[in-house]
Amino acid sequence: MSIIKKLNSNIINNIAAGEIIEGPSSVVKELLENSIDAGSRNIDIYIEESGIKNIVVKDDGFGMSKNDLEIAFKRHTTSKIHSKDDLFNIKTLGFRGEALPSIASVSFLSAISKNNTEINQIKIIGGKKEFIKKGALNEGTLIKVENLFFNLPARKKFLKNKKKEFNKISSIVKSYALCYPDICFKFTHNGSEIYDLNRNNLKNRIGDIFGRKFEDSLISVDYQKDDCNINGFAGNIDLLRKRKTNQFIFLNNRLIKDKLIEKAILQPFLSSIQRNEYP
Ligand code: ADP
Ligand code: MG
């Protein structure tokens, strides 16, 4: 008799969830990325108790059929890549097909989706499908995630600091809002509006988020060499801060942190201070 056994898919999803879903902010990140990949123009994010109680993300993207809505919650299922070659030409934020089954395995999840022909709703509790039936929704997809980590009490205990969790979510929403100024984002926490951002150009979007005064201190950056294109805005010396919380660097529309790039951005400011160009 062998002592090695294949894990059942629920346990596999639970383990994967541990890696992919660190807390409410990872849920928001994954759902937002899916909404962006679905071509949405309007995305609403609604959270309660820093996302620990519930997270709702609603979009106006192309939605899913009944079949797709069921398949989407199985592991390694994706509409975004099909072959090895696709791996070298990824145009979407997601492609691993792991987020939805991971989130669903550690929460009470309900999803409603409308495509051209039908509207369906699925409910999954701790990875187990409760039902799939006809639903009601004007457009796109609405995903509601409640009781995150209800079946992983040790993980839930780690989510004690609500302020910290809220700040993480807020920073994620902010970064996508900056990366996609042509998408309208609405972000609500415990019924209070945090952001209601209309479609805009990047400069005005920065103003919408950080305040209009900020806009006066922006320097436009637009540089191209070979296949590399760098654009965005840097702040003038008035916006120079020790902490980098308001520095957002994106590579191919993905938020990245990179010490070398951070240093390269900072260096000209430090040099001019050394040259006494600023009082
Ligand atoms: P991935 O994004 O890596 O493909 P996910 O588990 O996040 O994996 O999603 C699985 C699939 O479900 C996606 O490939 C997509 O086809 C579909 N999907 C998920 N969210 C949405 C959404 N908001 N609108 C339309 N389709 C969606
Ligand atoms: Mg995804």
Side-chain angles (χ1 to χ4, degrees), residues 30 33-34 37 80 94-95 99:
E30 296 295 340
E33 290 194 348
N34 281 344
D37 284 345
K80 299 171 190 173
F95 62 90

